[in-house]
């Protein structure tokens, strides 16, 4: 029996070295999920997801990874699909409650904290399990463009750019190399950078039909999804621009 046996069967039991194994297992479920990327730009925030279709029989449009939560907030998910759907419904409910209570749209940070608190509650009660899903919560409010990441433990962090799901470490390394914290990139460049990261992971398997792009611009604070035709054009440009560069890095 491994040293964790006896400590990984209940969510409320800490191991001697201070670990909650069920939370760590939930994080592993997220790591096996599809890659989702969020990037703040000078004009707003963009979310990109590779839906990773595994069968030719699947209809790509039937799989949704970027969800409109309110007019000004969107969420990208990775991990267990059913868990993500429940959290998305919870987020939409929180937006409506805030609107009815205070007669104003919820702030992005406020929603992110409420969802994180909800996820954290599922790490401290017996008879439940943590959500096996991570979220990128993006939106625009009075404080400008915001981008938050929340994991199965309920931890909440704000980023200029981040990623969840498969290949997260690889994407973060590339984002850190490409983004100057003192200077915001343009909206156009943020899309190219996000697709470059996805291409870095998928290589020649990157398929425009499985890429989903959502964005919120500061000028109107409205969630939009990019037309598949425009997504296809961006993907083809990225394949042409970065193929030689990435292949050279792989050889080195």
């Amino acid at each position: 029996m491994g040293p964790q046996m006896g400590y990984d069967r209940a969510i409320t039991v800490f191991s001697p070295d201070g670990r909650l194994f069920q939370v760590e297992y939930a994080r592993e479920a997220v790591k096996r999920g599809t890659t989702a990327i969020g990037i703040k730009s000078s004009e707003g925030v963009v979310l990109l997801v590779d839906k990773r279709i595994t069968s030719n029989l699947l209809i790509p449009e039937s799989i949704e990874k970027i969800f409109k939560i309110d007019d000004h907030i969107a969420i990208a998910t990775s991990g267990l699909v059913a868990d993500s759907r429940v959290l998305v419904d919870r987020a939409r409910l929180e937006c409506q409650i805030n609107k009815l209570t205070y007669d104003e749209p919820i702030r992005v940070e406020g929603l992110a904290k409420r969802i994180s608190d909800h996820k954290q509650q599922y790490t401290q009660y017996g008879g439940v399990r943590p959500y096996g899903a991570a979220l990128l919560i993006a939106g625009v409010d009075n404080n400008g463009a915001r981008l938050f990441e929340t994991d199965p433990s309920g931890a909440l962090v704000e980023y200029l750019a981040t990623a969840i799901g498969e290949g997260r470490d690889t994407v973060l390394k590339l984002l850190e190399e490409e983004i100057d914290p003192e200077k915001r990139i343009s909206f156009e460049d943020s899309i190219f950078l996000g697709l470059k990261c996805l291409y870095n992971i998928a290589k020649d398997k990157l398929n425009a039909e499985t890429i989903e792009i959502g964005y919120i611009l500061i000028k109107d604070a409205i969630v939009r999804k990019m037309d598949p035709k425009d997504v296809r054009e961006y993907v083809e440009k990225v394949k042409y621009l970065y193929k030689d560069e990435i292949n050279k890095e792989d050889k080195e």
Side-chain angles (χ1 to χ4, degrees):
M1 298 175 71
Q4 79 272 20
M5 294 305 292
Y7 299 104
D8 65 349
R9 298 183 181 180
I11 187 61
T12 57
V13 180
F14 282 93
S15 70
D17 55 349
R19 299 163 65 185
L20 287 173
F21 286 105
Q22 288 296 324
V23 172
E24 294 187 18
Y25 297 159
R27 286 175 175 154
E28 288 300 318
V30 172
K31 290 180 181 179
R32 289 170 168 77
T34 54
T35 308
I37 300 171
I39 302 174
K40 287 171 63 174
S41 72
S42 58
E43 301 162 64
V45 57
V46 62
L47 297 171
L48 307 95
V49 178
D50 185 354
K51 295 188 284 189
R52 196 174 60 190
I53 305 300
T54 56
S55 171
N56 294 330
L57 300 178
L58 282 173
I59 299 175
E61 293 77 13
S62 68
I63 299 176
E64 189 175 9
K65 293 290 185 178
I66 298 177
F67 300 86
K68 179 179 178 180
I69 305 302
D70 205 341
D71 288 339
H72 63 302
I73 300 177
I75 284 180
T77 68
S78 184
L80 299 181
V81 176
D83 287 14
S84 298
R85 187 174 64 248
V86 171
L87 290 170
V88 165
D89 288 343
R90 175 81 184 199
R92 287 170 173 164
L93 179 62
E94 291 290 352
C95 290
Q96 295 303 311
I97 291 174
N98 190 88
K99 181 68 175 178
L100 290 171
T101 304
Y102 302 107
D103 194 28
E104 64 180 17
I106 193 170
R107 294 189 177 185
V108 183
E109 183 176 6
L111 176 63
K113 287 182 177 179
R114 292 187 191 183
I115 296 302
S116 296
D117 290 345
H118 176 70
K119 294 174 77 173
Q120 194 277 333
Q121 289 178 0
Y122 278 70
T123 69
Q124 59 181 354
Y125 294 111
V128 300
R129 64 164 176 79
Y131 285 99
L135 307 178
L136 295 182
I137 303 174
V140 171
D141 55 25
N142 294 335
N143 295 314
R146 311 294 296 274
L147 175 64
F148 294 90
E149 176 189 333
T150 174
D151 77 349
S153 72
L156 179 67
V157 183
E158 184 173 9
Y159 285 94
L160 291 175
T162 188
I164 53 177
E166 183 182 16
R168 180 179 189 270
D169 293 340
T170 301
V171 173
L172 287 180
K173 181 180 178 181
L174 184 57
L175 291 173
E176 289 173 355
E177 292 173 352
E178 297 283 346
I179 293 179
D180 180 357
E182 302 299 325
K183 184 179 180 181
R184 296 286 175 84
I185 62 176
S186 69
F187 173 70
E188 190 89 354
D189 288 341
S190 68
I191 294 176
F192 276 111
L193 178 56
L195 289 174
K196 178 182 179 181
C197 293
L198 292 178
Y199 182 71
N200 196 291
I201 295 172
K203 305 300 181 185
D204 293 331
K205 295 181 180 179
L206 187 66
N207 183 359
E209 303 301 322
T210 67
I211 301 297
E212 192 174 359
I213 300 177
Y215 58 92
I216 310 104
L217 300 178
I218 295 175
K219 64 180 182 181
D220 56 15
I222 298 295
V223 174
R224 293 184 174 87
K225 286 191 180 182
M226 188 172 291
D227 186 270
K229 180 181 178 181
D230 295 329
V231 173
R232 192 176 304 110
E233 291 179 359
Y234 274 111
V235 170
E236 293 305 317
K237 289 179 181 178
V238 166
K239 285 183 177 181
Y240 176 77
L241 289 173
Y242 297 119
K243 184 174 182 179
D244 292 339
E245 177 183 335
I246 293 174
N247 287 341
K248 182 179 178 181
E249 292 175 358
D250 291 340
K251 290 178 181 178
E252 294 176 351

